[in-house]
Amino acid sequence: MKKILLSTIAVFALAACEDPYNRSGVGFTGIDGEPRTLSDVPGAVSFLPDATNIPAELALLPSIPVVTDQTEAEKVARVAIDNGGRSDTNSVVLTGSDMNLFLSTVSVNGTLFGVLRTENNSTRVDNNVGAAFGQNAEQFTGCLPAGDVFRKGSSSRSSGFAVALNCN
């Protein structure tokens, strides 16, 4: 009985030192108890840039509706590439080291396509970009790819890529 009584008194004595409804921590998450702080100055060690959420930005843009009499998947995808966004008003601009790419959604005859294209048809990128776009379509668009990646261009370089999307 003494053991239970002593431990109960110790718990109540320690609990009396703190407000039981104050659940906030001490706020130290850094190394050796240093507070973690963030800087808003670019180039600083603790600078945290604004996070970009490409699928959220893409979801804010309306899908570009297109109607065509084409029925073959490759030709329908080419129509999607031709009508893909080319500006920041109808696409998300992905800034690269040497050029910008434009990501948009195009609905061709009711089929939704994710389209990644260059600014104009004369500018071309390596086809590896299209392969990476197809593999990471879910990260870029928020939807699962529902087929192959189609391209518009030559065997080594293309000006646009399209993949059918399943957003259900």
Side-chain angles (χ1 to χ4, degrees):
M1 183 71 175
K2 286 183 182 181
K3 291 180 183 179
I4 294 174
L5 188 57
L6 277 174
S7 60
T8 305
I9 291 173
V11 168
F12 283 131
L14 289 175
C17 296
E18 179 63 33
D19 181 11
Y21 298 107
N22 182 5
R23 302 275 187 219
S24 63
V26 292
F28 294 105
T29 58
I31 298 173
D32 293 335
E34 297 173 5
R36 174 187 270 173
T37 59
L38 300 176
S39 173
D40 57 356
V41 178
V45 173
S46 59
F47 175 69
L48 183 64
D50 293 334
T52 57
N53 188 342
I54 295 171
E57 291 179 33
L58 189 62
L60 294 176
L61 299 172
S63 180
I64 302 166
V66 178
V67 177
T68 183
D69 58 351
Q70 301 292 334
T71 57
E72 294 178 38
E74 185 174 353
K75 291 181 180 178
V76 172
R78 186 162 295 211
V79 170
I81 294 169
D82 288 338
N83 291 283
R86 294 183 186 149
S87 68
D88 59 355
T89 58
N90 58 6
S91 63
V92 176
V93 181
L94 305 175
T95 305
S97 60
D98 56 347
M99 74 174 66
N100 292 338
L101 296 174
F102 298 89
L103 176 66
S104 60
T105 55
V106 179
S107 176
V108 181
N109 296 341
T111 302
L112 188 65
F113 284 89
V115 176
L116 183 68
R117 61 170 302 144
T118 59
E119 190 169 9
N120 54 45
N121 289 334
S122 62
T123 307
R124 296 177 182 253
V125 294
D126 191 67
N127 285 338
N128 292 335
V129 172
F133 173 60
Q135 291 172 348
N136 300 311
E138 184 177 6
Q139 294 173 348
F140 285 113
T141 64
C143 301
L144 294 172
D148 294 331
V149 177
F150 297 97
R151 62 180 167 78
K152 180 179 180 183
S154 67
S155 61
S156 63
R157 299 181 67 79
S158 298
S159 62
F161 307 96
V163 62
L165 300 175
N166 179 5
C167 296
N168 294 330

